[in-house]
Amino acid sequence: MADKRSSKEVLIEVASRLFRIRGYYGVGLKDIIEESGIPKGSLYHYFPKGKEELAIEAINHTKEMVVGEIQREFDEIEDPIKAIQAHIYQLSEVFGENGNLLGLPIGTIAAETYTTSEPIRMACQEAVTDWQSIYVKKLQEAGYSEKRSKDLSIVINALIEGGILLSLTAKSGEPLHAIAEQIPLLLINK
C-alpha cells in the first residue's frame, strides 16, 4: 500500500522528530532531506524561507500531536486528577530500555532559539499555551476557579516537561511515574 502522505507532510514529520531529539542547531536541512528521502528542491518549494519556516511548521505539528494525546485521555476520563495522572502514566511508558527517543516536545528547540528567533519563540509559546488551555478547561469543568486552573496548568506543564527531561536522562519512565503519583496532592484544593 502506497504512503499517502505528501512530501510536505513527510518533511514536517521528519523535522518534528529530529528537532525533538536533537534540537534546532543539532539538525541541518541535509539531515532532514536525507532522512525524509525528499529532494532538496521540494524542501525549498514548500519552505522557501528555509529551516526557520520548517521549524515553525514542525513545532505546530508537534503541538497538534500533543494536543491530540492529551485530549484523548481527557475525553475518556472525567475526573481531572485521574485524567492528568493517566496522561502522565501514558507518557512514562514510552521511556526505558527500548531506546525509544522522543525528546522534549518543544523544550530543546525553545531553549536553543528563544533569543535568536522570535518566530520560533512565538510558535513555542503558542504550543505551550494550547497545551495548558486543555488543562485549564478540564480543571474548570471540575469546579476549579479560573485563576487556580491557570496556575495549575502552568505547574502541570512544567512538571511534565521536567519529568520528560529526567526520564530521558534516566532512560526510565520512573520520574514521570513519580510525578503522576503526586498529582492528587497538587489538585487537592479547588
Side-chain angles (χ1 to χ4, degrees):
M1 175 184 251
D3 190 345
K4 302 269 186 205
R5 298 175 302 159
S6 72
S7 294
K8 183 177 183 180
E9 291 170 325
V10 171
L11 287 166
I12 292 169
E13 289 170 11
V14 168
S16 172
R17 185 172 43 75
L18 291 177
F19 289 140
R20 286 192 316 264
I21 296 168
R22 294 193 232 157
Y24 187 74
Y25 295 113
V27 176
L29 290 178
K30 181 181 176 194
D31 299 319
I32 296 167
I33 291 165
E34 285 177 4
E35 188 144 337
S36 69
I38 305 296
K40 185 177 184 178
S42 292
L43 186 143
Y44 284 106
H45 168 74
Y46 292 116
F47 305 101
K49 295 179 183 173
K51 185 177 176 181
E52 182 178 64
E53 183 178 15
L54 177 55
I56 291 167
E57 288 294 324
I59 291 164
N60 289 332
H61 172 77
T62 299
K63 173 185 75 171
E64 293 305 319
M65 260 184 8
V66 172
V67 163
E69 290 169 7
I70 297 169
Q71 199 59 59
R72 274 189 291 284
E73 295 288 343
F74 284 16
D75 288 346
E76 291 178 16
I77 304 169
E78 186 175 333
D79 179 83
I81 294 171
K82 290 179 180 166
I84 293 166
Q85 281 184 302
H87 171 61
I88 299 170
Y89 284 134
Q90 185 274 329
L91 280 173
S92 76
E93 292 174 11
V94 302
F95 294 93
E97 296 175 18
N98 66 0
N100 186 1
L101 294 175
L102 294 176
L104 289 165
I106 61 163
T108 304
I109 197 169
E112 287 181 329
T113 62
Y114 77 97
T115 61
T116 59
S117 173
E118 185 63 9
I120 291 176
R121 188 204 63 76
M122 288 171 50
C124 291
Q125 176 59 42
E126 182 181 319
V128 168
T129 299
D130 285 0
W131 296 335
Q132 289 173 187
S133 71
I134 297 171
Y135 303 130
V136 169
K137 181 180 177 197
K138 188 70 168 177
L139 292 166
Q140 285 185 309
E141 287 172 353
Y144 291 80
S145 71
E146 182 178 352
K147 175 164 179 16
R148 179 104 169 107
S149 296
K150 286 180 179 179
D151 289 348
L152 286 169
S153 75
I154 292 168
V155 173
I156 292 164
N157 196 54
L159 286 170
I160 291 171
E161 288 288 322
I164 291 171
L165 178 61
L166 293 172
S167 292
L168 285 169
T169 59
K171 289 189 174 184
S172 166
E174 199 53 43
L176 282 163
H177 194 309
I179 289 168
E181 292 292 315
Q182 300 307 309
I183 291 298
L185 295 174
L186 177 66
L187 301 181
I188 198 163
N189 296 321
K190 292 184 180 183

